Amino acid sequence: MPLRDITLDDIESLAIGAWVLGTGGGGSPYLGLLNMRALYKEGHRVQLMPSDELLDNDWVAAVSNMGAPLVGQERLTDSRTIARAVALMERHTGYKFRGIMSLEIGGGNSIQPLMAAAHLKRPVIDSDMMGRAYPEAQMTSVAVGDLAPCPLTTVDVRGLESVVEKVPTWKWMERVSRKICVEYGSIASTCKAPRTGAEVKKWGIHGTTTKAIAIGHAVREAQRKHEDPIAAILGVEPGKVLYKGKVVDVERRATEGFLRGRTRFDGTDEHKGASLELNFQNEWIVAWLDKKPIAMSPDLICVLDSLSGEAVGTETIRYGQRVTVIALPPPPVFLSEKGLRHVGPRAFGYDIEFKSVFA
């Protein structure tokens, strides 16, 4: 399959679909969408490349913003910043990247590779390493595969640049890079350890940009036709409705480069009288229905505006919103025993045995 052009309409859908897959995190895609509208108005274009078109010895850059999503809403950057992270990695390693991919398809991080690709004239690879959004460096398919965690480049809009050349483990990469991110002000643009084409084909989660565009297109079509957008999402993804309710309380704090907290809901419609609590660390991690866990990572817990079908992030959720909570199935790599050690509830400090909504 040859490269295909990503249209601005695709990007509009991507922003909506990736926000759903972000499970509350990955950063709001709105700023990235504004950047891409501006870039396309200036004449830039981006192409999408299937991972199976990569040669085994090609090099691929994996990019993302790092930090607390709430801070990303307040400290604005521009599209050149993520491109600088990729260019710094090329200078540091001497590699010429064949393409650029998302570290995570969730939220605004789905648009980061498009911005870098527009400036650097490279294709975007239709894969990522999470199939959603996760908050920490070791919560990726390549970490489950024991691929090298370094080097890493980190830049910010003020011109700061850092390179982490060597760390012994993925958890050390998380610790070191998080400290840098906090010193930058809890938001930074990063290019992760370069991956070969062979590594991407074996350990990448494939077709996720296309998937996000399809979800967003379904939502937008439902909005246009005044149909149920939640049903439209479940028409293209094999998910389940968990809960309908109204936000009655939000507690959150930006700490150590993360956004942590909980949100409580009172049930509506068929869930009237039932209380739901969602705990989050950038993303929604565990859902408690009447104090019993009903959904947890790695299953995707997605909070959606009940009328528009668009996702609600952990940094944007607010009192009084009426929402529908759905679950989507995770990539199989995270359902293995090793995968669950990286992203299961115990990886986030919850002493809960993982039980899938889809079991």
Side-chain angles (χ1 to χ4, degrees), residues 145-339:
D146 289 324
L147 304 190
C150 49
L152 169 118
T153 60
T154 307
V155 308
D156 88 340
V157 71
R158 296 167 296 183
L160 296 171
E161 296 184 350
S162 303
V163 178
V164 178
E165 172 59 27
K166 188 174 182 180
V167 290
T169 65
W170 280 97
K171 285 198 173 183
W172 266 107
M173 175 57 81
E174 168 61 30
R175 290 175 64 180
V176 172
S177 60
R178 190 66 55 176
K179 292 293 185 184
I180 294 170
C181 178
V182 170
E183 289 301 314
Y184 279 16
S186 289
I187 198 75
S189 296
T190 69
C191 182
K192 312 297 184 183
R195 304 268 74 102
T196 66
E199 289 172 336
V200 171
K201 286 184 282 188
K202 182 175 182 179
W203 288 104
I205 299 166
H206 305 304
T208 48
T209 299
T210 298
K211 175 192 280 194
I213 291 171
I215 293 171
H217 178 75
V219 171
R220 294 173 68 206
E221 277 295 292
Q223 291 171 345
R224 186 177 66 82
K225 296 177 180 178
H226 303 288
E227 296 175 350
D228 182 357
I230 311 295
I233 293 171
L234 299 180
V236 295
E237 285 296 307
K240 293 183 179 181
V241 173
L242 299 179
Y243 187 82
K244 294 181 181 179
K246 183 179 76 171
V247 180
V248 294
D249 189 35
V250 181
E251 296 178 15
R252 59 183 162 222
R253 64 194 187 280
T255 176
E256 298 176 325
F258 298 110
L259 188 66
R260 300 178 188 267
R262 66 188 184 106
T263 303
R264 289 194 303 108
F265 309 83
D266 279 349
T268 57
D269 301 332
E270 65 268 33
H271 298 96
K272 192 172 183 63
S275 177
L276 186 79
E277 179 177 309
L278 289 179
N279 298 148
F280 58 87
Q281 179 185 331
N282 287 6
E283 287 77 37
W284 310 113
I285 304 301
V286 181
W288 309 80
L289 183 64
D290 294 330
K291 300 186 178 180
K292 294 180 180 179
I294 61 161
M296 62 202 73
S297 173
D299 283 352
L300 281 68
I301 303 169
C302 311
V303 179
L304 311 173
D305 182 282
S306 292
L307 289 179
S308 72
E310 297 187 26
V312 182
T314 57
E315 79 273 32
T316 58
I317 197 162
R318 65 186 187 276
Y319 177 83
Q321 284 179 309
R322 294 183 179 272
V323 303
T324 300
V325 182
I326 69 169
L328 299 177
V333 65
F334 296 124
L335 294 174
S336 67
E337 183 180 343
K338 188 174 182 182

Side-chain angles (χ1 to χ4, degrees), residues 10-34 36 63-67 69 72-73 101-115 124 127-128 130-135 187 208-209 211-213 215-216 282-284 300-304 310-316 328:
D10 288 333
I11 299 171
E12 301 281 345
S13 294
L14 174 63
I16 292 175
W19 204 205
V20 173
L21 293 175
T23 64
S28 167
Y30 183 62
L31 178 60
L33 176 60
L34 293 181
M36 290 309 301
V63 301
S64 73
N65 267 352
M66 182 180 193
Q73 292 287 293
M101 67 185 286
S102 299
L103 178 76
E104 60 183 18
I105 194 59
N109 274 329
S110 67
I111 301 180
Q112 295 296 318
L114 277 68
M115 294 192 291
V124 170
S127 301
D128 77 308
M130 295 183 183
R132 50 166 291 166
Y134 279 119
I187 198 75
T208 48
T209 299
K211 175 192 280 194
I213 291 171
I215 293 171
N282 287 6
E283 287 77 37
W284 310 113
L300 281 68
I301 303 169
C302 311
V303 179
L304 311 173
E310 297 187 26
V312 182
T314 57
E315 79 273 32
T316 58
L328 299 177

